[in-house]
Amino acid sequence: MENNLDSAFHALADPTRRAVIGRLMDGPAPVTELARPFEIGLPTFLKHLRVLEQGGWIRSEKRGRVRTCHVRPERLHAAERWLAEQRAIWDARTDRLADYVETHLAAEDRR
Amino acid sequence: MENNLDSAFHALADPTRRAVIGRLMDGPAPVTELARPFEIGLPTFLKHLRVLEQGGWIRSEKRGRVRTCHVRPERLHAAERWLAEQRAIWDARTDRLADYVETHLAAEDRR
DNA sequence: CATATAATTCGCCATATGGAAAACAATCTC
DNA sequence: GAGATTGTTTTCCATATGGCGAATTATATG
């Protein structure tokens, strides 16, 4: 896990972490409140937060004894961009396929 | 790794696997050709293919001694859909924020 | 101060992951 | 059929992951 996308996608590969992102998209929250919906221990939950932070999805600051987490929605861009690129390659390919059909099969029709 | 999105995103969390998807978007290919650009052994590469297959990104058939892999571009939908959902939550939130600014701070201006 | 709360650290464990080498199997091709 | 090519299986290894409970550190609050 070194690359940006590596850690970004890896962070998404877990339902707990996706849920946390979803929750945080709705607004910042402290750790304990974030953890409440899940049935895992706090230490484990903290690990998930670290993965999310490392993946660039969240950030957090501590004031007093409470750490407040908030999402970094910019991360959506990187992920979306990669998917869009793949779609572009795919589209280009299907275009070439259309070309092929047009130049070859259509020619065949004309025979 | 049981959920759809879990395995789908997990498959994306590795540069080799993302590259394979990119390559396959361009058209089907046999295993050895797919593996050529990478500096890992075939057995290791096969594991990556299995992860991609399990994540729903590729499919493959064997004819004679060659196994041909092709991408399943539908998988893009699931991933894109999740990201779009998050963006929607985020947008709803910023809308509420705009409401708040309008009803409260703007009122303050009028004082 | 005594206690409750919020978060963190520390071991510990089972399983998964990404890598390798070696041997094996199947199928072309000469 | 001999030999090359293409995948596959097996075994092994180091490290990462996701989980736990227990102990610890801050910081509020009665």
Side-chain angles (χ1 to χ4, degrees):
Chain A
M1 216 62 45
E2 47 196 358
N3 181 302
N4 263 339
L5 282 178
D6 285 10
S7 48
F9 281 130
H10 170 243
L12 296 186
D14 178 285
T16 299
R17 293 194 291 259
R18 285 196 305 277
V20 169
I21 294 179
R23 164 64 186 79
L24 285 181
M25 284 290 178
D26 211 43
V31 171
T32 308
E33 187 193 314
L34 272 182
R36 202 170 310 135
F38 307 100
E39 295 198 334
I40 61 180
L42 248 207
T44 305
F45 187 76
L46 282 184
K47 283 196 199 171
H48 285 300
L49 287 188
R50 247 172 274 131
V51 172
L52 283 170
E53 201 144 9
Q54 212 210 335
W57 288 101
I58 73 171
R59 184 158 284 204
S60 65
E61 298 92 27
K62 196 162 181 179
R63 296 202 30 172
R65 61 181 167 177
V66 44
R67 171 178 300 279
T68 302
C69 304
H70 56 95
V71 83
R72 306 183 58 188
E74 325 88 80
R75 217 350 133 241
L76 282 175
H77 293 333
E80 287 173 328
R81 194 179 317 123
W82 189 84
L83 294 179
E85 266 170 41
Q86 305 316 308
R87 185 172 291 289
I89 303 177
W90 176 257
D91 290 346
R93 185 230 172 166
T94 50
D95 282 357
R96 284 201 306 283
L97 218 69
D99 277 4
Y100 178 83
V101 169
E102 192 165 332
T103 49
H104 290 76
L105 301 193
E108 198 134 325
D109 272 356
R110 262 176 261 119
R111 269 200 274 128
Chain B
M1 216 63 44
E2 50 199 358
N3 180 303
N4 263 338
L5 282 178
D6 283 10
S7 48
F9 280 129
H10 170 244
L12 296 186
D14 178 285
T16 299
R17 293 193 292 256
R18 285 196 305 278
V20 169
I21 293 179
R23 164 65 187 79
L24 285 182
M25 283 291 177
D26 211 42
V31 171
T32 306
E33 187 193 315
L34 272 182
R36 201 172 310 134
F38 307 100
E39 295 198 333
I40 62 180
L42 248 207
T44 305
F45 187 76
L46 283 185
K47 283 197 200 171
H48 284 301
L49 287 188
R50 250 173 272 130
V51 172
L52 283 170
E53 201 143 10
Q54 211 210 337
W57 287 101
I58 73 172
R59 184 159 284 208
S60 65
E61 298 92 29
K62 194 162 182 178
R63 296 202 29 171
R65 60 180 168 175
V66 47
R67 173 177 298 280
T68 302
C69 305
H70 55 94
V71 82
R72 308 182 59 188
E74 325 88 80
R75 221 343 140 247
L76 282 175
H77 294 333
E80 287 173 327
R81 194 179 316 125
W82 188 85
L83 293 178
E85 267 169 39
Q86 304 317 308
R87 185 173 291 289
I89 304 179
W90 176 256
D91 290 346
R93 184 227 173 171
T94 51
D95 283 356
R96 284 201 306 283
L97 218 67
D99 277 3
Y100 177 84
V101 169
E102 193 166 332
T103 48
H104 290 74
L105 302 191
E108 198 135 325
D109 273 356
R110 267 175 256 118
R111 268 200 272 127

